[in-house]
Amino acid sequence: MRSPADSLVLAFSWLTVLPVRGPDEVDRDSAGRAIALAPVVGIALGSISAIVLWVSITAGLTPLLGGLLAVAASALLTRGMHLDGLADTADGLGCYGPPERAREVMKSGSAGPFGVATIALVLAVQAASLGQLAHQQLWWAIAVLPVISRVSVVLACRRGTDASSPNGFGALVAGTQSNMAPALWVVVAVASSVFAHPDRPWQGPLVVIAVLALAMVLTRHCVRRFGGLSGDVLGAGIETTTALAAVGLLLGS
């Protein structure tokens, strides 16, 4: 059995471009432990986003430009694979036909009109929201957003969820999480979000609960539409959850 440190290394090697190398061979047991640590990767990515935004605002850049730089940094650090998953998922949901047809569209290798439009919209929302959060100096909110979005990944991989294909990332991680890991991370996300908005400590927890509930609904719909879970669906969940949580934390500001 691999140590927690090995699982954390695997999580970072999968989900970032940071110079860490995971094992050459990965089974479902190892994959499940790595996915359970995905929110830890979010802590690192959120901290980097907060730093990029702080430097941008301090240097006199506009909040929107700072938000765009933070979004670009996040895309670079994650190889853009979540954005690719978002585009593929949008194209798959936008096509007609059975699940097999939708999976073919997702594997085509090129982004269609639904995918391009969805990426543009989600990135615009993320950049504008992150910039506004930085303008209001809500640094903890910025840091915790990637944690919240990666809790949605742990929730999506709960037991009872089938993979859409016998091969690929989805086959490694679908159904690997017991009820304990998702529940624990939801509690952590709710507790940490109390500090996201100092003037309204209730707002963060409400946003986390609402956004994660929406993420579960989206994932369930995608699983039905595509005949199971895939890495693309997980990437789409991360990007959409980030955007929705950022908007939720700005409401009433």
Side-chain angles (χ1 to χ4, degrees):
M1 180 179 296
R2 297 185 183 276
S3 68
D6 292 333
S7 299
L8 188 59
V9 167
L10 177 58
F12 272 94
S13 69
W14 266 353
L15 303 175
T16 73
V17 295
L18 296 179
V20 294
R21 180 173 178 176
D24 294 329
E25 296 183 5
V26 180
D27 56 18
R28 277 179 55 83
D29 188 49
S30 299
R33 289 198 297 272
I35 284 297
L37 295 173
V40 179
V41 178
I43 294 172
L45 295 173
S47 300
I48 293 172
S49 291
I51 292 171
V52 170
L53 280 159
W54 182 83
V55 171
S56 300
I57 297 296
T58 303
L61 300 181
T62 64
L64 178 58
L65 182 54
L68 287 168
L69 292 175
V71 168
S74 179
L76 288 173
L77 287 169
T78 58
R79 304 185 188 94
M81 58 184 174
H82 304 324
L83 293 174
D84 180 67
L86 176 64
D88 288 343
T89 299
D91 285 333
L93 291 174
C95 76
Y96 294 101
E100 293 78 10
R101 170 58 181 160
R103 293 198 296 267
E104 287 179 6
V105 170
M106 295 170 71
K107 293 178 181 179
S108 64
S110 60
F114 286 105
V116 172
T118 302
I119 284 182
L121 176 61
V122 170
L123 288 183
V125 171
Q126 287 183 7
S129 300
L130 287 172
Q132 188 64 18
L133 287 170
H135 181 66
Q136 297 179 17
Q137 298 188 354
L138 297 176
W139 306 113
W140 182 252
I142 295 169
V144 82
L145 280 173
V147 179
I148 299 170
S149 62
R150 281 151 184 83
V151 172
S152 71
V153 171
V154 183
L155 286 168
C157 295
R158 298 186 319 278
R159 285 180 182 169
T161 304
D162 296 324
S164 61
S165 169
N167 303 308
F169 191 75
L172 277 175
V173 301
T176 59
Q177 304 301 308
S178 65
N179 291 330
M180 181 175 295
L184 177 61
W185 277 119
V186 169
V187 171
V188 171
V190 168
S192 61
S193 66
V194 169
F195 308 101
H197 217 302
D199 295 334
R200 296 190 293 275
W202 48 266
Q203 184 167 345
L206 285 180
V207 168
V208 169
I209 293 171
V211 166
L212 291 179
L214 285 173
M216 291 177 65
V217 171
L218 173 62
T219 300
R220 189 173 302 171
H221 174 66
C222 290
V223 168
R224 286 198 301 266
R225 180 67 183 91
F226 306 141
L229 186 69
S230 68
D232 286 335
V233 173
L234 295 177
I238 287 175
E239 296 296 343
T240 54
T241 302
T242 299
L244 291 172
V247 171
L249 292 174
L250 283 171
L251 292 176
S253 298

